[in-house]
């Protein structure tokens, strides 16, 4: 998968919606991006990205092109939230890991 510094209709560093830039998880990233003036790698390897997600605690992860036909209904939503997005990453986390142990107390 590749990441291009300029997507159709959106210049790199284009203004993001105020709601997004004000989000607590975005502020540190945006400050860091301004501090470091380095050119991002033009290509992100899908297996490296998956390994990164798994190392960060995800139980599973996958990346898919936003142009994939199965995402046609989501494409406009994704691009309005993330201008210039070309790829979506899905992170999977198991919830209620102790569910089986919990439920074993209710079965005979």
């Amino acid at each position: 998968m590749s990441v291009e510094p300029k997507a159709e209709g959106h210049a790199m560093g284009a203004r993001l919606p105020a709601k997004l830039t004000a989000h607590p998880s975005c502020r540190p990233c945006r400050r860091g991006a301004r501090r470091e003036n380095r050119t991002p790698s033009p290509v992100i390897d899908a297996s490296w990205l998956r390994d990164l997600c798994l190392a960060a605690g995800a139980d599973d992860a996958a990346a898919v092109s936003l142009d994939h036909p199965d995402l046609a209904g989501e494409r406009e939503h994704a691009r309005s939230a993330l201008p210039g997005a070309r790829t979506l990453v899905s992170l999977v986390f198991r919830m209620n890991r102790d569910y089986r142990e919990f439920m074993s107390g209710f079965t005979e």
Side-chain angles (χ1 to χ4, degrees):
M1 289 179 210
S2 65
V3 176
E4 294 180 354
K6 203 172 201 181
E8 289 181 54
H10 297 284
M12 182 82 158
R15 283 190 56 83
L16 295 172
K19 184 176 180 180
L20 182 60
T21 58
H23 193 275
S25 65
C26 292
R27 278 186 251 146
C29 294
R30 293 187 48 79
R31 279 195 302 268
R34 280 188 231 123
R35 250 193 326 263
E36 297 179 25
N37 291 328
R38 56 189 169 118
T39 306
S41 173
V43 176
I44 294 176
D45 181 61
S47 63
W48 173 85
L49 181 59
R50 183 174 189 277
D51 291 342
L52 178 69
C53 294
L54 296 176
D59 292 307
D60 200 3
V64 64
S65 170
L66 198 49
D67 293 329
H68 193 283
D70 290 345
L71 294 176
E74 301 300 322
R75 193 171 296 125
E76 191 57 39
H77 300 293
R79 290 198 172 134
S80 68
L82 301 165
R86 296 184 55 207
T87 303
L88 295 180
V89 176
S90 175
L91 303 174
V92 177
F93 294 90
R94 277 185 258 166
M95 303 297 287
N96 300 320
R97 292 176 188 255
D98 297 326
Y99 177 75
R100 286 187 184 158
E101 183 180 319
F102 173 76
M103 290 305 292
S104 67
F106 293 102
T107 58
E108 296 180 278

